[in-house]
Amino acid sequence: MYPKKEGILDQGHWEDDQDQKCTSRGTRAAQWILDIIRPSFLSRRGRQRKELMRTSWLDGLRGFAAFLVYWHHHTLWAHDASTTIFESGFGFSGKHYFASFYFIRHFFTGGHFAVAIFFVISGYVLSVKPLALIHAGEWTKLNDNLASAVFRRWPRLYLPIIGTTFVFLTLHHALGFYTPAVKWESNYRDGLWMWYAELKNFTYVFNSGGEPWFTYNPHLWTIPHELKGSVIVYTTLLAFSRCSKHARLWLQAGLVFYFIYIVDGWPCALFTCGMLLSELDLLAEKKELPRLFYRLEPYKDLIFYNLLFIGLYLGGVPSNSNNLKDLQASPGWYALSFLAPQAVFNYKAFYLFWAATFVVPSIPRIHWLKSFFETPFCQYLGRISFALYLVHGPILWVIGDRLYVAAGWVREVHVTELPGWCNILPLPKWGPYGLEVAFLLPHLILLPLTLWAAECATRLFDEPAVRFCQWLYRRTLAPVVR
């Protein structure tokens, strides 16, 4: 018997099926691309308000801090020749600017303070679940939780960085645009090799030499500290898991003291402090805080408002140099300058440590402030905060630089490298320093563009990295023996 030959009708059905499959695949691909690039306000899911959790204010705080980093970098970039004005204290060298005034300065150069807040938040969030398991005595679940967390931490931090910097590198060599912040190789092949060579050192947790910057996005210098701080949190939780409640609190406080007063480990101190704050909050929920806290409870509002005030003041520490004499010459900082310990090389880090330590626990105890960080806009910023941190730099260097030059913020290098963009549409520099019309108007384009790019990077790199890490960990687990 020979196989029956397909008739014309059968062949036609087969071709129709193939056409439908191709159309279906094409539709799915187009839908996937549309889901990536569509702004959240145009999607039904994006318009739905997420139910608030106990720690939702932390997400909003992280998002708002990421926005301060964005604004900080743009402020300094456009006013390149006047960086010391923003970074110096109010009245330093007889100069008085609104942008450097106490507390107000956070809205111009609050990126330094934001980084300290990032580290405290990370220490807090990473330890919430393990501490709950420790308090419940769930040692097997604690082991599983820490194993999963350590396994997933490196790829969760670095996969989005690998993806975004690779796209940035590829777009440069495809389009050939000029960026003053990055020194590019002459061809794509050499560029790929240099990108790999830097990336492998940048992502190595025990790397202790070379430059701390990643050439293809120098703003990401904080990420290696994130990884090191995460390792410290997880190992500390494991090491102290069998300690008594009071012993664990004292040991964590001792670690904070060690990192900030004995060695120059301010990022580690911030992570450890976040972990300590997380445990104190957990104990407060269970009404198991040390007695001292309950004695101070009648004065709670007064204490936290004062901590907020002091934290915001310290968070505005002048950072124009590492010389302590410059801090002493800044009005309002002379007496405080003597508090800086010898161990900390950059005095700024010491004051930012205490600023973040005071501000973060104050927010949930001040209702109107906590409510602000739970607003939909802050929650939105929190969702895209990591991607916003990743993409705002490249957009600033490629598009922001050109828009600022077109608006009149021209430097000598622009005359050579971007002659066609210089003063295309010069705008008036009216307004307070740092809030000039020529600086603000470009953000009508830059801010929506950056937020949209951050949304795309969140969907394309950040959220898939989280899912991939979870999938990979599950795939590597040994079978359970019963």
Side-chain angles (χ1 to χ4, degrees):
M1 292 285 294
Y2 293 98
K4 183 178 179 181
K5 186 177 180 179
E6 287 184 310
I8 295 177
L9 185 60
D10 294 332
Q11 181 69 22
H13 282 308
W14 181 83
E15 290 177 351
D16 288 342
D17 290 341
Q18 293 302 109
D19 289 342
Q20 289 177 2
K21 290 179 180 178
C22 291
T23 302
S24 178
R25 285 195 293 267
T27 302
R28 287 197 297 270
Q31 184 62 44
W32 178 79
I33 294 173
L34 183 62
D35 289 340
I36 294 294
I37 66 174
R38 182 169 48 195
S40 60
F41 69 89
L42 294 179
S43 66
R44 183 177 301 174
R45 184 181 64 177
R47 292 193 298 269
Q48 292 177 347
R49 182 168 181 176
K50 184 180 176 181
E51 183 179 353
L52 294 176
M53 309 292 288
R54 182 177 69 86
T55 57
S56 291
W57 64 273
L58 283 169
D59 296 328
L61 177 60
R62 184 195 296 112
F64 191 77
F67 178 77
L68 288 181
V69 171
Y70 160 88
W71 198 258
H72 181 163
H73 287 148
H74 277 268
T75 300
L76 297 187
W77 188 270
H79 304 83
D80 179 69
S82 307
T83 298
T84 54
I85 292 175
F86 292 105
E87 300 281 17
S88 300
F90 183 74
F92 181 76
S93 297
K95 297 178 180 178
H96 300 81
Y97 287 88
F98 174 76
S100 63
F101 190 71
Y102 311 99
F103 305 102
I104 299 295
R105 62 187 300 116
H106 292 305
F107 297 102
F108 295 88
T109 53
H112 303 301
F113 189 20
V115 168
I117 288 175
F118 285 152
F119 291 164
V120 173
I121 292 175
S122 292
Y124 189 108
V125 172
L126 293 177
S127 57
V128 168
K129 184 62 178 295
L131 283 171
L133 295 173
I134 289 173
H135 282 244
E138 299 279 0
W139 310 119
T140 302
K141 291 183 179 179
L142 174 66
N143 178 71
D144 293 341
N145 180 271
L146 291 178
S148 172
V150 174
F151 182 96
R152 293 181 286 114
R153 194 58 177 162
W154 188 99
R156 193 270 170 273
L157 286 175
Y158 284 112
L159 286 180
I161 292 175
I162 293 170
T164 53
T165 54
F166 175 76
V167 169
F168 187 37
L169 167 73
T170 303
L171 287 176
H172 166 77
H173 284 282
L175 304 177
F177 47 74
Y178 160 76
T179 51
V182 180
K183 183 180 178 181
W184 301 101
E185 300 301 315
S186 59
N187 59 75
Y188 189 48
R189 178 181 176 183
D190 290 344
L192 277 177
W193 174 253
M194 289 303 298
W195 172 76
Y196 163 74
E198 279 205 34
L199 189 67
K200 67 183 177 67
N201 293 324
F202 181 73
T203 59
Y204 178 46
V205 66
F206 297 112
N207 184 30
S208 58
E211 292 290 335
W213 321 107
F214 185 32
T215 296
Y216 300 92
N217 197 339
H219 294 163
L220 304 183
W221 64 271
T222 61
I223 303 303
H225 292 299
E226 280 279 350
L227 183 58
K228 293 174 184 176
S230 302
V231 172
I232 286 173
V233 167
Y234 294 139
T235 53
T236 300
L237 289 168
L238 181 61
F240 298 166
S241 61
R242 297 302 182 107
C243 296
S244 67
K245 176 185 69 176
H246 293 289
R248 188 165 51 251
L249 291 175
W250 279 110
L251 288 169
Q252 290 178 73
L255 268 182
V256 172
F257 182 86
Y258 171 78
F259 285 131
I260 200 68
Y261 284 100
I262 298 178
V263 297
D264 190 7
W266 63 272
C268 305
L270 288 163
F271 271 85
T272 309
C273 187
M275 178 173 54
L276 178 58
L277 293 175
S278 181
E279 175 133 37
L280 289 173
D281 279 351
L282 186 61
L283 291 173
E285 285 188 357
K286 300 166 62 178
K287 307 294 184 182
E288 295 180 3
L289 283 169
R291 293 178 183 177
L292 174 63
F293 290 89
Y294 294 108
R295 292 174 183 171
L296 297 174
E297 190 168 7
Y299 315 102
K300 182 175 67 173
D301 291 342
L302 178 63
I303 290 172
F304 283 111
Y305 270 100
N306 277 279
L307 287 179
L308 177 66
F309 178 86
I310 296 170
L312 290 176
Y313 186 91
L314 295 177
V317 57
S319 53
N320 57 306
S321 76
N322 291 335
N323 191 338
L324 203 58
K325 291 182 179 179
D326 288 338
L327 182 64
Q328 294 172 353
S330 301
W333 286 92
Y334 179 77
L336 290 170
S337 68
F338 293 101
L339 297 177
Q342 174 272 335
V344 178
F345 170 73
N346 188 343
Y347 67 80
K348 172 185 68 178
F350 171 75
Y351 299 98
L352 292 177
F353 163 78
W354 285 110
T357 299
F358 290 160
V359 167
V360 172
S362 301
I363 291 173
R365 276 86 184 177
I366 300 175
H367 176 72
W368 60 268
L369 195 54
K370 180 185 178 185
S371 297
F372 169 74
F373 291 114
E374 290 176 341
T375 57
F377 179 66
C378 285
Q379 293 296 303
Y380 164 76
L381 289 176
R383 184 175 67 84
I384 65 169
S385 58
F386 188 31
L388 177 61
Y389 193 65
L390 297 181
V391 305
H392 81 276
I395 292 176
L396 167 61
W397 305 323
V398 177
I399 300 174
D401 192 40
R402 286 160 174 78
L403 291 179
Y404 290 137
V405 171
W409 301 95
V410 181
R411 300 196 292 270
E412 185 177 346
V413 67
H414 295 135
V415 178
T416 304
E417 299 292 346
L418 298 173
W421 286 86
C422 294
N423 294 307
I424 293 177
L425 184 62
L427 297 172
K429 296 183 179 179
W430 303 330
Y433 199 78
L435 292 175
E436 304 90 345
V437 173
F439 173 67
L440 294 178
L441 285 183
H443 286 278
L444 295 177
I445 298 174
L446 288 172
L447 181 56
L449 177 64
T450 304
L451 294 178
W452 172 76
E455 283 196 45
C456 293
T458 298
R459 299 187 188 115
L460 191 59
F461 298 113
D462 191 18
E463 293 174 346
V466 173
R467 293 193 295 268
F468 173 77
C469 296
Q470 294 170 342
W471 171 85
L472 184 62
Y473 180 69
R474 289 194 298 267
R475 292 286 295 178
T476 59
L477 289 178
V480 179
V481 179
R482 296 183 179 180

